Amino acid sequence: MLGTEGRSAEEVAKADIAANAEESYGKGYGSLSSHEVLASEAVTVAGQKGYRVRWKAVTSKGADGYVESLALPSPANPERIVVVRIGVDVGEKQSVIDDIAEGIEAASGGGTGQDV
C-alpha cells in the first residue's frame, strides 16, 4: 500500500505524482530538476470514474520521462482507491501510456491481485 493521502481519485492522483516521478526518474537519473504538467483530468478506466495526472519529468542526467499517476475506485470495493503508476522515457510516444490505461480491465474472478 502506498499510503497516499486523499479520499477521492483526484486527491490521490495529485498527491501521488511527485513520489511517482521521484521513484521513476529521480533515483536512477540523478535528480529531478523540474517537471511540466501535461495532464490533470478526469478519466474513465475499467468502467470506473478516475483521475490522472501526467508529468514530463526533467532529470539532471540521463533520460527525461513521462510519468502518470492514475487513480480510480476499486471495482471490487469502491471505498478503496487503486493507483496505477506508469513511466516511460521521453523517447517513447505518450500514446503508450494511453494504450496501457485503455487496456486496464476490472478482474472477473477471484484471487489476490498479485498474479498479473
PDB file of all heavy atoms in Angstrom, residues 68-106:
ATOM      1  N   GLU A  68       2.871   9.030 -15.093  1.00  0.00           N
ATOM      2  CA  GLU A  68       1.449   9.237 -14.852  1.00  0.00           C
ATOM      3  C   GLU A  68       1.035   8.485 -13.603  1.00  0.00           C
ATOM      4  O   GLU A  68       1.440   7.336 -13.396  1.00  0.00           O
ATOM      5  CB  GLU A  68       0.621   8.750 -16.038  1.00  0.00           C
ATOM      6  CG  GLU A  68      -0.875   8.956 -15.840  1.00  0.00           C
ATOM      7  CD  GLU A  68      -1.674   8.780 -17.107  1.00  0.00           C
ATOM      8  OE1 GLU A  68      -1.406   9.516 -18.076  1.00  0.00           O
ATOM      9  OE2 GLU A  68      -2.558   7.911 -17.142  1.00  0.00           O
ATOM     10  N   SER A  69       0.254   9.152 -12.776  1.00  0.00           N
ATOM     11  CA  SER A  69      -0.417   8.519 -11.649  1.00  0.00           C
ATOM     12  C   SER A  69      -1.900   8.509 -11.984  1.00  0.00           C
ATOM     13  O   SER A  69      -2.510   9.562 -12.183  1.00  0.00           O
ATOM     14  CB  SER A  69      -0.165   9.283 -10.346  1.00  0.00           C
ATOM     15  OG  SER A  69       1.173   9.125  -9.929  1.00  0.00           O
ATOM     16  N   LEU A  70      -2.441   7.315 -12.084  1.00  0.00           N
ATOM     17  CA  LEU A  70      -3.827   7.103 -12.458  1.00  0.00           C
ATOM     18  C   LEU A  70      -4.521   6.478 -11.255  1.00  0.00           C
ATOM     19  O   LEU A  70      -4.105   5.426 -10.769  1.00  0.00           O
ATOM     20  CB  LEU A  70      -3.885   6.159 -13.664  1.00  0.00           C
ATOM     21  CG  LEU A  70      -5.226   5.633 -14.119  1.00  0.00           C
ATOM     22  CD1 LEU A  70      -6.132   6.765 -14.563  1.00  0.00           C
ATOM     23  CD2 LEU A  70      -5.020   4.647 -15.253  1.00  0.00           C
ATOM     24  N   ALA A  71      -5.534   7.139 -10.745  1.00  0.00           N
ATOM     25  CA  ALA A  71      -6.238   6.656  -9.552  1.00  0.00           C
ATOM     26  C   ALA A  71      -7.715   6.455  -9.879  1.00  0.00           C
ATOM     27  O   ALA A  71      -8.310   7.262 -10.596  1.00  0.00           O
ATOM     28  CB  ALA A  71      -6.075   7.651  -8.400  1.00  0.00           C
ATOM     29  N   LEU A  72      -8.275   5.365  -9.349  1.00  0.00           N
ATOM     30  CA  LEU A  72      -9.685   5.083  -9.569  1.00  0.00           C
ATOM     31  C   LEU A  72     -10.199   4.202  -8.437  1.00  0.00           C
ATOM     32  O   LEU A  72      -9.424   3.482  -7.802  1.00  0.00           O
ATOM     33  CB  LEU A  72      -9.905   4.387 -10.917  1.00  0.00           C
ATOM     34  CG  LEU A  72      -9.160   3.085 -11.149  1.00  0.00           C
ATOM     35  CD1 LEU A  72     -10.056   2.102 -11.884  1.00  0.00           C
ATOM     36  CD2 LEU A  72      -7.930   3.368 -11.996  1.00  0.00           C
ATOM     37  N   PRO A  73     -11.512   4.254  -8.174  1.00  0.00           N
ATOM     38  CA  PRO A  73     -12.079   3.375  -7.150  1.00  0.00           C
ATOM     39  C   PRO A  73     -11.943   1.919  -7.583  1.00  0.00           C
ATOM     40  O   PRO A  73     -12.107   1.596  -8.756  1.00  0.00           O
ATOM     41  CB  PRO A  73     -13.548   3.781  -7.086  1.00  0.00           C
ATOM     42  CG  PRO A  73     -13.623   5.121  -7.731  1.00  0.00           C
ATOM     43  CD  PRO A  73     -12.507   5.163  -8.737  1.00  0.00           C
ATOM     44  N   SER A  74     -11.650   1.059  -6.647  1.00  0.00           N
ATOM     45  CA  SER A  74     -11.574  -0.369  -6.935  1.00  0.00           C
ATOM     46  C   SER A  74     -12.957  -0.870  -7.343  1.00  0.00           C
ATOM     47  O   SER A  74     -13.935  -0.612  -6.638  1.00  0.00           O
ATOM     48  CB  SER A  74     -11.106  -1.119  -5.693  1.00  0.00           C
ATOM     49  OG  SER A  74     -11.316  -2.500  -5.850  1.00  0.00           O
ATOM     50  N   PRO A  75     -13.054  -1.594  -8.456  1.00  0.00           N
ATOM     51  CA  PRO A  75     -14.363  -2.146  -8.833  1.00  0.00           C
ATOM     52  C   PRO A  75     -14.903  -3.114  -7.778  1.00  0.00           C
ATOM     53  O   PRO A  75     -16.106  -3.237  -7.608  1.00  0.00           O
ATOM     54  CB  PRO A  75     -14.078  -2.878 -10.148  1.00  0.00           C
ATOM     55  CG  PRO A  75     -12.854  -2.218 -10.691  1.00  0.00           C
ATOM     56  CD  PRO A  75     -12.044  -1.828  -9.479  1.00  0.00           C
ATOM     57  N   ALA A  76     -14.019  -3.782  -7.049  1.00  0.00           N
ATOM     58  CA  ALA A  76     -14.436  -4.744  -6.031  1.00  0.00           C
ATOM     59  C   ALA A  76     -14.829  -4.079  -4.721  1.00  0.00           C
ATOM     60  O   ALA A  76     -15.635  -4.611  -3.970  1.00  0.00           O
ATOM     61  CB  ALA A  76     -13.312  -5.748  -5.775  1.00  0.00           C
ATOM     62  N   ASN A  77     -14.251  -2.903  -4.437  1.00  0.00           N
ATOM     63  CA  ASN A  77     -14.515  -2.207  -3.181  1.00  0.00           C
ATOM     64  C   ASN A  77     -14.340  -0.706  -3.422  1.00  0.00           C
ATOM     65  O   ASN A  77     -13.234  -0.192  -3.288  1.00  0.00           O
ATOM     66  CB  ASN A  77     -13.569  -2.697  -2.083  1.00  0.00           C
ATOM     67  CG  ASN A  77     -13.816  -1.999  -0.766  1.00  0.00           C
ATOM     68  OD1 ASN A  77     -14.656  -1.108  -0.656  1.00  0.00           O
ATOM     69  ND2 ASN A  77     -13.073  -2.393   0.246  1.00  0.00           N
ATOM     70  N   PRO A  78     -15.413  -0.002  -3.789  1.00  0.00           N
ATOM     71  CA  PRO A  78     -15.313   1.422  -4.142  1.00  0.00           C
ATOM     72  C   PRO A  78     -14.759   2.315  -3.035  1.00  0.00           C
ATOM     73  O   PRO A  78     -14.385   3.451  -3.289  1.00  0.00           O
ATOM     74  CB  PRO A  78     -16.758   1.807  -4.475  1.00  0.00           C
ATOM     75  CG  PRO A  78     -17.431   0.525  -4.813  1.00  0.00           C
ATOM     76  CD  PRO A  78     -16.761  -0.522  -3.982  1.00  0.00           C
ATOM     77  N   GLU A  79     -14.669   1.802  -1.810  1.00  0.00           N
ATOM     78  CA  GLU A  79     -14.086   2.586  -0.715  1.00  0.00           C
ATOM     79  C   GLU A  79     -12.569   2.663  -0.823  1.00  0.00           C
ATOM     80  O   GLU A  79     -11.941   3.493  -0.192  1.00  0.00           O
ATOM     81  CB  GLU A  79     -14.468   1.968   0.636  1.00  0.00           C
ATOM     82  CG  GLU A  79     -15.964   1.975   0.905  1.00  0.00           C
ATOM     83  CD  GLU A  79     -16.536   3.372   0.998  1.00  0.00           C
ATOM     84  OE1 GLU A  79     -15.913   4.221   1.658  1.00  0.00           O
ATOM     85  OE2 GLU A  79     -17.595   3.629   0.390  1.00  0.00           O
ATOM     86  N   ARG A  80     -11.992   1.765  -1.619  1.00  0.00           N
ATOM     87  CA  ARG A  80     -10.536   1.728  -1.797  1.00  0.00           C
ATOM     88  C   ARG A  80     -10.180   2.344  -3.139  1.00  0.00           C
ATOM     89  O   ARG A  80     -10.858   2.126  -4.133  1.00  0.00           O
ATOM     90  CB  ARG A  80     -10.029   0.297  -1.739  1.00  0.00           C
ATOM     91  CG  ARG A  80     -10.323  -0.343  -0.385  1.00  0.00           C
ATOM     92  CD  ARG A  80      -9.582  -1.588  -0.244  1.00  0.00           C
ATOM     93  NE  ARG A  80      -8.191  -1.220   0.055  1.00  0.00           N
ATOM     94  CZ  ARG A  80      -7.337  -2.016   0.629  1.00  0.00           C
ATOM     95  NH1 ARG A  80      -7.688  -3.224   0.942  1.00  0.00           N
ATOM     96  NH2 ARG A  80      -6.106  -1.631   0.874  1.00  0.00           N
ATOM     97  N   ILE A  81      -9.084   3.094  -3.150  1.00  0.00           N
ATOM     98  CA  ILE A  81      -8.601   3.719  -4.381  1.00  0.00           C
ATOM     99  C   ILE A  81      -7.411   2.915  -4.899  1.00  0.00           C
ATOM    100  O   ILE A  81      -6.465   2.639  -4.156  1.00  0.00           O
ATOM    101  CB  ILE A  81      -8.183   5.183  -4.144  1.00  0.00           C
ATOM    102  CG1 ILE A  81      -9.339   6.012  -3.591  1.00  0.00           C
ATOM    103  CG2 ILE A  81      -7.605   5.803  -5.416  1.00  0.00           C
ATOM    104  CD1 ILE A  81     -10.456   6.293  -4.562  1.00  0.00           C
ATOM    105  N   VAL A  82      -7.464   2.540  -6.164  1.00  0.00           N
ATOM    106  CA  VAL A  82      -6.383   1.837  -6.837  1.00  0.00           C
ATOM    107  C   VAL A  82      -5.514   2.888  -7.536  1.00  0.00           C
ATOM    108  O   VAL A  82      -6.038   3.798  -8.183  1.00  0.00           O
ATOM    109  CB  VAL A  82      -6.941   0.853  -7.888  1.00  0.00           C
ATOM    110  CG1 VAL A  82      -5.825   0.215  -8.695  1.00  0.00           C
ATOM    111  CG2 VAL A  82      -7.820  -0.189  -7.232  1.00  0.00           C
ATOM    112  N   VAL A  83      -4.190   2.761  -7.405  1.00  0.00           N
ATOM    113  CA  VAL A  83      -3.269   3.670  -8.079  1.00  0.00           C
ATOM    114  C   VAL A  83      -2.431   2.864  -9.058  1.00  0.00           C
ATOM    115  O   VAL A  83      -1.834   1.851  -8.695  1.00  0.00           O
ATOM    116  CB  VAL A  83      -2.341   4.393  -7.080  1.00  0.00           C
ATOM    117  CG1 VAL A  83      -1.337   5.279  -7.814  1.00  0.00           C
ATOM    118  CG2 VAL A  83      -3.144   5.218  -6.095  1.00  0.00           C
ATOM    119  N   VAL A  84      -2.399   3.328 -10.295  1.00  0.00           N
ATOM    120  CA  VAL A  84      -1.567   2.727 -11.326  1.00  0.00           C
ATOM    121  C   VAL A  84      -0.504   3.763 -11.676  1.00  0.00           C
ATOM    122  O   VAL A  84      -0.831   4.875 -12.087  1.00  0.00           O
ATOM    123  CB  VAL A  84      -2.389   2.357 -12.584  1.00  0.00           C
ATOM    124  CG1 VAL A  84      -1.491   1.763 -13.659  1.00  0.00           C
ATOM    125  CG2 VAL A  84      -3.524   1.410 -12.223  1.00  0.00           C
ATOM    126  N   ARG A  85       0.757   3.392 -11.488  1.00  0.00           N
ATOM    127  CA  ARG A  85       1.876   4.268 -11.834  1.00  0.00           C
ATOM    128  C   ARG A  85       2.470   3.802 -13.152  1.00  0.00           C
ATOM    129  O   ARG A  85       2.807   2.625 -13.308  1.00  0.00           O
ATOM    130  CB  ARG A  85       2.953   4.217 -10.760  1.00  0.00           C
ATOM    131  CG  ARG A  85       2.585   4.916  -9.483  1.00  0.00           C
ATOM    132  CD  ARG A  85       3.729   4.807  -8.507  1.00  0.00           C
ATOM    133  NE  ARG A  85       3.538   5.715  -7.371  1.00  0.00           N
ATOM    134  CZ  ARG A  85       4.381   5.793  -6.363  1.00  0.00           C
ATOM    135  NH1 ARG A  85       5.472   5.027  -6.348  1.00  0.00           N
ATOM    136  NH2 ARG A  85       4.153   6.637  -5.382  1.00  0.00           N
ATOM    137  N   ILE A  86       2.617   4.741 -14.065  1.00  0.00           N
ATOM    138  CA  ILE A  86       3.169   4.431 -15.376  1.00  0.00           C
ATOM    139  C   ILE A  86       4.310   5.413 -15.640  1.00  0.00           C
ATOM    140  O   ILE A  86       4.189   6.602 -15.354  1.00  0.00           O
ATOM    141  CB  ILE A  86       2.100   4.556 -16.485  1.00  0.00           C
ATOM    142  CG1 ILE A  86       0.875   3.703 -16.160  1.00  0.00           C
ATOM    143  CG2 ILE A  86       2.687   4.189 -17.845  1.00  0.00           C
ATOM    144  CD1 ILE A  86      -0.334   3.977 -17.040  1.00  0.00           C
ATOM    145  N   GLY A  87       5.393   4.914 -16.206  1.00  0.00           N
ATOM    146  CA  GLY A  87       6.503   5.777 -16.579  1.00  0.00           C
ATOM    147  C   GLY A  87       7.187   5.256 -17.824  1.00  0.00           C
ATOM    148  O   GLY A  87       7.439   4.053 -17.930  1.00  0.00           O
ATOM    149  N   VAL A  88       7.448   6.133 -18.776  1.00  0.00           N
ATOM    150  CA  VAL A  88       8.185   5.775 -19.992  1.00  0.00           C
ATOM    151  C   VAL A  88       9.149   6.906 -20.317  1.00  0.00           C
ATOM    152  O   VAL A  88       8.900   8.070 -19.998  1.00  0.00           O
ATOM    153  CB  VAL A  88       7.258   5.513 -21.201  1.00  0.00           C
ATOM    154  CG1 VAL A  88       6.334   4.336 -20.949  1.00  0.00           C
ATOM    155  CG2 VAL A  88       6.461   6.742 -21.588  1.00  0.00           C
ATOM    156  N   ASP A  89      10.265   6.547 -20.938  1.00  0.00           N
ATOM    157  CA  ASP A  89      11.236   7.563 -21.353  1.00  0.00           C
ATOM    158  C   ASP A  89      10.626   8.464 -22.419  1.00  0.00           C
ATOM    159  O   ASP A  89       9.763   8.037 -23.197  1.00  0.00           O
ATOM    160  CB  ASP A  89      12.501   6.910 -21.905  1.00  0.00           C
ATOM    161  CG  ASP A  89      13.348   6.266 -20.823  1.00  0.00           C
ATOM    162  OD1 ASP A  89      13.030   6.407 -19.633  1.00  0.00           O
ATOM    163  OD2 ASP A  89      14.348   5.599 -21.189  1.00  0.00           O
ATOM    164  N   VAL A  90      11.116   9.697 -22.492  1.00  0.00           N
ATOM    165  CA  VAL A  90      10.595  10.671 -23.440  1.00  0.00           C
ATOM    166  C   VAL A  90      10.754  10.202 -24.887  1.00  0.00           C
ATOM    167  O   VAL A  90       9.993  10.599 -25.752  1.00  0.00           O
ATOM    168  CB  VAL A  90      11.253  12.058 -23.216  1.00  0.00           C
ATOM    169  CG1 VAL A  90      10.964  13.022 -24.342  1.00  0.00           C
ATOM    170  CG2 VAL A  90      10.756  12.657 -21.917  1.00  0.00           C
ATOM    171  N   GLY A  91      11.686   9.298 -25.139  1.00  0.00           N
ATOM    172  CA  GLY A  91      11.849   8.753 -26.490  1.00  0.00           C
ATOM    173  C   GLY A  91      10.636   7.971 -26.969  1.00  0.00           C
ATOM    174  O   GLY A  91      10.455   7.767 -28.166  1.00  0.00           O
ATOM    175  N   GLU A  92       9.795   7.533 -26.040  1.00  0.00           N
ATOM    176  CA  GLU A  92       8.548   6.839 -26.385  1.00  0.00           C
ATOM    177  C   GLU A  92       7.442   7.864 -26.603  1.00  0.00           C
ATOM    178  O   GLU A  92       7.492   8.966 -26.068  1.00  0.00           O
ATOM    179  CB  GLU A  92       8.126   5.900 -25.249  1.00  0.00           C
ATOM    180  CG  GLU A  92       9.094   4.791 -24.968  1.00  0.00           C
ATOM    181  CD  GLU A  92       9.145   3.762 -26.081  1.00  0.00           C
ATOM    182  OE1 GLU A  92       8.126   3.545 -26.753  1.00  0.00           O
ATOM    183  OE2 GLU A  92      10.225   3.188 -26.275  1.00  0.00           O
ATOM    184  N   LYS A  93       6.435   7.477 -27.345  1.00  0.00           N
ATOM    185  CA  LYS A  93       5.279   8.349 -27.536  1.00  0.00           C
ATOM    186  C   LYS A  93       4.395   8.284 -26.290  1.00  0.00           C
ATOM    187  O   LYS A  93       4.255   7.229 -25.676  1.00  0.00           O
ATOM    188  CB  LYS A  93       4.480   7.908 -28.757  1.00  0.00           C
ATOM    189  CG  LYS A  93       5.243   8.058 -30.051  1.00  0.00           C
ATOM    190  CD  LYS A  93       4.405   7.594 -31.213  1.00  0.00           C
ATOM    191  CE  LYS A  93       5.209   7.749 -32.501  1.00  0.00           C
ATOM    192  NZ  LYS A  93       4.503   7.228 -33.651  1.00  0.00           N
ATOM    193  N   GLN A  94       3.775   9.399 -25.943  1.00  0.00           N
ATOM    194  CA  GLN A  94       2.854   9.419 -24.812  1.00  0.00           C
ATOM    195  C   GLN A  94       1.672   8.486 -25.036  1.00  0.00           C
ATOM    196  O   GLN A  94       1.042   8.036 -24.076  1.00  0.00           O
ATOM    197  CB  GLN A  94       2.354  10.834 -24.552  1.00  0.00           C
ATOM    198  CG  GLN A  94       3.385  11.769 -23.986  1.00  0.00           C
ATOM    199  CD  GLN A  94       2.781  13.110 -23.663  1.00  0.00           C
ATOM    200  OE1 GLN A  94       1.873  13.191 -22.845  1.00  0.00           O
ATOM    201  NE2 GLN A  94       3.277  14.157 -24.300  1.00  0.00           N
ATOM    202  N   SER A  95       1.387   8.167 -26.276  1.00  0.00           N
ATOM    203  CA  SER A  95       0.256   7.286 -26.569  1.00  0.00           C
ATOM    204  C   SER A  95       0.450   5.902 -25.952  1.00  0.00           C
ATOM    205  O   SER A  95      -0.528   5.180 -25.724  1.00  0.00           O
ATOM    206  CB  SER A  95       0.031   7.174 -28.078  1.00  0.00           C
ATOM    207  OG  SER A  95       1.175   6.612 -28.712  1.00  0.00           O
ATOM    208  N   VAL A  96       1.697   5.518 -25.641  1.00  0.00           N
ATOM    209  CA  VAL A  96       1.947   4.243 -24.959  1.00  0.00           C
ATOM    210  C   VAL A  96       1.239   4.240 -23.601  1.00  0.00           C
ATOM    211  O   VAL A  96       0.635   3.249 -23.203  1.00  0.00           O
ATOM    212  CB  VAL A  96       3.471   4.008 -24.783  1.00  0.00           C
ATOM    213  CG1 VAL A  96       3.746   2.832 -23.860  1.00  0.00           C
ATOM    214  CG2 VAL A  96       4.138   3.815 -26.119  1.00  0.00           C
ATOM    215  N   ILE A  97       1.285   5.365 -22.909  1.00  0.00           N
ATOM    216  CA  ILE A  97       0.618   5.476 -21.610  1.00  0.00           C
ATOM    217  C   ILE A  97      -0.891   5.339 -21.787  1.00  0.00           C
ATOM    218  O   ILE A  97      -1.560   4.642 -21.021  1.00  0.00           O
ATOM    219  CB  ILE A  97       0.979   6.804 -20.921  1.00  0.00           C
ATOM    220  CG1 ILE A  97       2.481   6.855 -20.630  1.00  0.00           C
ATOM    221  CG2 ILE A  97       0.172   6.992 -19.633  1.00  0.00           C
ATOM    222  CD1 ILE A  97       2.973   8.199 -20.124  1.00  0.00           C
ATOM    223  N   ASP A  98      -1.419   5.990 -22.809  1.00  0.00           N
ATOM    224  CA  ASP A  98      -2.856   5.896 -23.084  1.00  0.00           C
ATOM    225  C   ASP A  98      -3.253   4.461 -23.406  1.00  0.00           C
ATOM    226  O   ASP A  98      -4.298   3.983 -22.948  1.00  0.00           O
ATOM    227  CB  ASP A  98      -3.238   6.817 -24.244  1.00  0.00           C
ATOM    228  CG  ASP A  98      -2.961   8.281 -23.943  1.00  0.00           C
ATOM    229  OD1 ASP A  98      -3.070   8.682 -22.772  1.00  0.00           O
ATOM    230  OD2 ASP A  98      -2.618   9.015 -24.888  1.00  0.00           O
ATOM    231  N   ASP A  99      -2.419   3.760 -24.177  1.00  0.00           N
ATOM    232  CA  ASP A  99      -2.710   2.372 -24.534  1.00  0.00           C
ATOM    233  C   ASP A  99      -2.758   1.487 -23.284  1.00  0.00           C
ATOM    234  O   ASP A  99      -3.625   0.613 -23.168  1.00  0.00           O
ATOM    235  CB  ASP A  99      -1.668   1.826 -25.508  1.00  0.00           C
ATOM    236  CG  ASP A  99      -1.737   2.480 -26.881  1.00  0.00           C
ATOM    237  OD1 ASP A  99      -2.766   3.114 -27.203  1.00  0.00           O
ATOM    238  OD2 ASP A  99      -0.743   2.366 -27.634  1.00  0.00           O
ATOM    239  N   ILE A 100      -1.821   1.707 -22.366  1.00  0.00           N
ATOM    240  CA  ILE A 100      -1.811   0.928 -21.128  1.00  0.00           C
ATOM    241  C   ILE A 100      -3.092   1.174 -20.338  1.00  0.00           C
ATOM    242  O   ILE A 100      -3.761   0.237 -19.896  1.00  0.00           O
ATOM    243  CB  ILE A 100      -0.569   1.258 -20.279  1.00  0.00           C
ATOM    244  CG1 ILE A 100       0.695   0.758 -20.993  1.00  0.00           C
ATOM    245  CG2 ILE A 100      -0.681   0.659 -18.881  1.00  0.00           C
ATOM    246  CD1 ILE A 100       1.988   1.276 -20.406  1.00  0.00           C
ATOM    247  N   ALA A 101      -3.457   2.441 -20.178  1.00  0.00           N
ATOM    248  CA  ALA A 101      -4.661   2.778 -19.415  1.00  0.00           C
ATOM    249  C   ALA A 101      -5.916   2.199 -20.067  1.00  0.00           C
ATOM    250  O   ALA A 101      -6.807   1.690 -19.378  1.00  0.00           O
ATOM    251  CB  ALA A 101      -4.780   4.293 -19.262  1.00  0.00           C
ATOM    252  N   GLU A 102      -5.985   2.257 -21.394  1.00  0.00           N
ATOM    253  CA  GLU A 102      -7.152   1.717 -22.093  1.00  0.00           C
ATOM    254  C   GLU A 102      -7.252   0.211 -21.956  1.00  0.00           C
ATOM    255  O   GLU A 102      -8.338  -0.359 -22.027  1.00  0.00           O
ATOM    256  CB  GLU A 102      -7.106   2.115 -23.573  1.00  0.00           C
ATOM    257  CG  GLU A 102      -7.383   3.590 -23.799  1.00  0.00           C
ATOM    258  CD  GLU A 102      -7.159   4.028 -25.240  1.00  0.00           C
ATOM    259  OE1 GLU A 102      -7.038   3.163 -26.136  1.00  0.00           O
ATOM    260  OE2 GLU A 102      -7.091   5.251 -25.461  1.00  0.00           O
ATOM    261  N   GLY A 103      -6.128  -0.472 -21.734  1.00  0.00           N
ATOM    262  CA  GLY A 103      -6.119  -1.919 -21.613  1.00  0.00           C
ATOM    263  C   GLY A 103      -6.451  -2.430 -20.220  1.00  0.00           C
ATOM    264  O   GLY A 103      -6.595  -3.636 -20.019  1.00  0.00           O
ATOM    265  N   ILE A 104      -6.613  -1.533 -19.246  1.00  0.00           N
ATOM    266  CA  ILE A 104      -6.927  -1.958 -17.886  1.00  0.00           C
ATOM    267  C   ILE A 104      -8.389  -2.394 -17.823  1.00  0.00           C
ATOM    268  O   ILE A 104      -9.275  -1.687 -18.280  1.00  0.00           O
ATOM    269  CB  ILE A 104      -6.661  -0.813 -16.880  1.00  0.00           C
ATOM    270  CG1 ILE A 104      -5.172  -0.481 -16.862  1.00  0.00           C
ATOM    271  CG2 ILE A 104      -7.163  -1.195 -15.485  1.00  0.00           C
ATOM    272  CD1 ILE A 104      -4.830   0.762 -16.053  1.00  0.00           C
ATOM    273  N   GLU A 105      -8.606  -3.572 -17.256  1.00  0.00           N
ATOM    274  CA  GLU A 105      -9.955  -4.108 -17.116  1.00  0.00           C
ATOM    275  C   GLU A 105     -10.185  -4.532 -15.671  1.00  0.00           C
ATOM    276  O   GLU A 105      -9.249  -4.912 -14.974  1.00  0.00           O
ATOM    277  CB  GLU A 105     -10.140  -5.335 -18.012  1.00  0.00           C
ATOM    278  CG  GLU A 105      -9.978  -5.047 -19.486  1.00  0.00           C
ATOM    279  CD  GLU A 105     -10.087  -6.303 -20.338  1.00  0.00           C
ATOM    280  OE1 GLU A 105     -10.294  -7.396 -19.778  1.00  0.00           O
ATOM    281  OE2 GLU A 105      -9.975  -6.186 -21.560  1.00  0.00           O
ATOM    282  N   ALA A 106     -11.424  -4.492 -15.256  1.00  0.00           N
ATOM    283  CA  ALA A 106     -11.784  -4.997 -13.931  1.00  0.00           C
ATOM    284  C   ALA A 106     -11.613  -6.510 -13.932  1.00  0.00           C
ATOM    285  O   ALA A 106     -11.933  -7.179 -14.920  1.00  0.00           O
ATOM    286  CB  ALA A 106     -13.218  -4.629 -13.596  1.00  0.00           C
TER     287      ALA A 106
END
